[in-house]
Amino acid sequence: MAGKSGDEEKMKIGITCYPTYGGSGAVATELGLGLARRGHEVHFISYAQPFRLTQFIDGVYFHEVEVNRYPLFEYPPYSLALAVTMHEVTRREGLDLLHVHYAIPHATAGWIARDMLRAAGGDVKLVTTLHGTDITLVGQDPSYRSITRFSIEKSDRLTAVSDWLRDRTHRDFECDRCAIDVIPNFVDPDVYDRERYRGRHRLARPGEKVVMHISNFRAVKRIPDLIEMFARIRREVPARLVLVGDGPERQRAEELAAELGISGAVVFLGKFDSVADLLANADLFLLPSEQESFGLVALEAQASGVPVVGSSGTGLDEVIEDGATGYLHPVGSVDAMARSAVSLLTDGALWTGFSREARRRAVEHFALDRIVPRYEALYRNVLGLDDAPGVSAA
Ligand code: GMT
């Protein structure tokens, strides 16, 4: 262990995640920073510095994975280079635990690193957090399915970010007995705070409502539904659709907006590391995804006092309280979603109630200070530092 402060054992934790845009990398980084604030030593191991790790923080270190690009390699083997760096950093720094976010290829690299250590008489525990498409999409691809299943079975502990994802993992991998602790994603309510940033940006013309969507613009987000929905909203309410992020569906979004004659009311802002200031200036957030294991950005919107309209039958059911902090409708129900959006944008009293409830729900159920200790408790349990039976009910 890294040392002692009071009665608490401090741990040395390696965290591996995708370092660029995306909810799993954001959660992994905020978790690492939260753990460091609680006195633990945190080592990020990835091919680039996580995008939310913007300055030096005491107790936080970054180890870059170097991938040799030998001409013979049409596909440089990143997973192997990652396993080697995880093994080296664990040995050198005396890490207690490796916590990987997104199973592919991180859980695989993690068990290789752990088994290399064990072969030399050492040990490290491996915790894998499942984030969504590592199970439901990429993890089901025949090229990756068997290694994903094998790697998650090899982990010392598995967590999922929602009950929805836990159940999908049991179903899709036919592993009824895979023990998975659900620890939801979280936000820092001091960062996502409407009061702090309100009025900083003028995202729409006077009298127009700001309808926002933030994503990586992949097919799973159902971007055409979003544009169709906004076209219906625009018929009833003066509004502007502010799109944040970038990805493969962006061009289709531009084309559809032009076809529907609403290009002038749709603004593409591009990618930003931090979106708290943008969300604080939105009136409504739309997330009509095909699948969403959790929908971190919907939680960030709620913390910013922004009601959300999105897809039911996904992890959003656990994040949004339907009829209180937003409205959820079955995937593809563009008309119903648009009607809900219009009701929120045209009824001031309804909107104010939803906005307050959204903030309250985010703070009461998903604040960083509530969730980081649950990971901490899980680590202690995996390391045999307590007698706690588990953390699901924490
Ligand atoms: O969407 C992805 O393919 C990747 C992943 C990510 O890195 O953002 O998103 C998933 O993890 C997030 C963080 O836990 C969740 O908030 C997203 O709902 C989830 N995406 C999907 O399930 C589609």
Side-chain angles (χ1 to χ4, degrees):
M1 306 302 132
K4 284 197 168 196
S5 152
D7 293 325
E8 294 286 304
E9 289 270 6
K10 298 303 174 193
M11 294 173 268
K12 288 189 173 194
I13 301 146
I15 294 185
T16 291
C17 62
Y18 283 104
T20 52
Y21 299 86
S24 58
V27 166
T29 312
E30 298 295 350
L31 172 62
L33 300 180
L35 289 165
R37 279 196 292 276
R38 295 172 71 85
H40 303 291
E41 194 174 299
V42 175
H43 295 259
F44 286 100
I45 305 168
S46 190
Y47 61 84
Q49 182 138 323
F51 71 97
R52 290 205 176 164
L53 186 61
T54 49
Q55 60 186 76
F56 176 73
I57 299 195
D58 289 325
V60 178
Y61 304 88
F62 168 61
H63 308 269
E64 184 169 336
V65 178
E66 300 282 349
V67 187
N68 182 313
R69 298 191 180 272
Y70 188 63
L72 187 65
F73 296 156
E74 187 165 348
Y75 304 104
Y78 172 67
S79 310
L80 299 184
L82 174 62
V84 168
T85 311
M86 286 168 124
H87 171 251
E88 271 174 19
V89 174
T90 305
R91 205 167 43 83
R92 193 174 63 237
E93 305 293 341
L95 302 188
D96 301 305
L97 186 139
L98 292 167
H99 185 178
V100 301
H101 292 258
Y102 208 87
I104 307 169
H106 303 148
T108 313
W111 71 252
I112 295 174
R114 186 194 58 195
D115 280 18
M116 286 164 77
L117 269 144
R118 285 185 178 166
D123 201 10
V124 68
K125 297 295 180 193
L126 175 64
V127 174
T128 298
T129 290
L130 309 173
H131 277 274
T133 46
D134 46 352
I135 296 301
T136 59
L137 274 178
V138 196
Q140 295 309 310
D141 187 292
S143 328
Y144 300 117
R145 190 173 191 278
S146 56
I147 191 72
T148 303
R149 188 181 205 280
F150 184 72
S151 305
I152 63 179
E153 281 175 357
K154 285 281 179 189
S155 300
D156 294 299
R157 196 66 76 89
L158 288 175
T159 77
V161 298
S162 61
D163 291 349
W164 181 89
L165 183 57
R166 177 198 55 203
D167 297 346
R168 281 292 298 258
T169 309
H170 287 153
R171 192 192 85 186
D172 293 355
F173 282 104
E174 294 147 15
C175 59
D176 294 344
R177 290 197 309 278
C178 286
I180 301 175
D181 287 301
V182 173
I183 303 184
N185 288 332
F186 55 87
V187 273
D188 183 344
D190 294 335
V191 172
Y192 292 88
D193 181 356
R194 195 168 193 81
E195 300 311 315
R196 188 166 160 187
Y197 299 110
R198 192 74 190 138
R200 177 175 287 196
H201 304 297
R202 275 192 309 277
L203 298 173
R205 299 200 185 102
E208 282 181 337
K209 299 289 185 188
V210 175
V211 178
M212 191 170 283
H213 172 81
I214 304 176
S215 78
N216 45 24
F217 288 76
R218 282 173 303 121
V220 75
K221 303 292 174 184
R222 292 186 73 102
I223 299 297
D225 282 9
L226 177 82
I227 304 292
E228 297 270 5
M229 202 194 313
F230 181 69
R232 288 163 174 70
I233 295 171
R234 267 280 289 187
R235 283 183 214 138
E236 315 271 336
V237 191
R240 194 154 283 254
L241 178 62
V242 177
L243 298 168
V244 184
D246 209 340
E249 292 283 291
R250 177 182 166 155
Q251 195 181 338
R252 196 153 163 224
E254 284 173 7
E255 287 165 4
L256 186 56
E259 265 172 47
L260 296 171
I262 53 169
S263 294
V266 179
V267 191
F268 291 86
L269 297 188
K271 286 183 185 177
F272 295 97
D273 286 352
S274 158
V275 293
D277 55 329
L278 294 169
L279 282 168
N281 288 284
D283 297 300
L284 187 69
F285 192 85
L286 303 181
L287 198 58
S289 311
E290 179 86 33
Q291 285 181 16
E292 208 60 72
S293 69
F294 185 90
L296 180 66
V297 71
L299 174 59
E300 293 169 344
Q302 285 193 126
S304 309
V306 184
V308 177
V309 172
S311 309
S312 57
T314 69
L316 284 176
D317 292 328
E318 295 162 51
V319 180
I320 311 298
E321 197 177 337
D322 188 25
T325 71
Y327 289 112
L328 299 177
H329 298 281
V331 174
S333 312
V334 173
D335 282 329
M337 288 187 195
R339 275 197 301 277
S340 289
V342 168
S343 69
L344 279 164
L345 292 171
T346 52
D347 182 339
L350 184 75
W351 185 90
T352 303
F354 272 55
S355 171
R356 283 204 191 114
E357 191 56 21
R359 169 78 183 171
R360 189 200 62 74
R361 181 169 169 75
V363 173
E364 276 186 19
H365 296 274
F366 302 103
L368 176 137
D369 289 348
R370 279 181 176 271
I371 307 298
V372 173
R374 291 179 61 180
Y375 278 111
E376 206 176 16
L378 180 133
Y379 297 162
R380 301 173 76 74
N381 188 245
V382 176
L383 291 168
L385 296 175
D386 65 7
D387 303 323
V391 294
S392 288

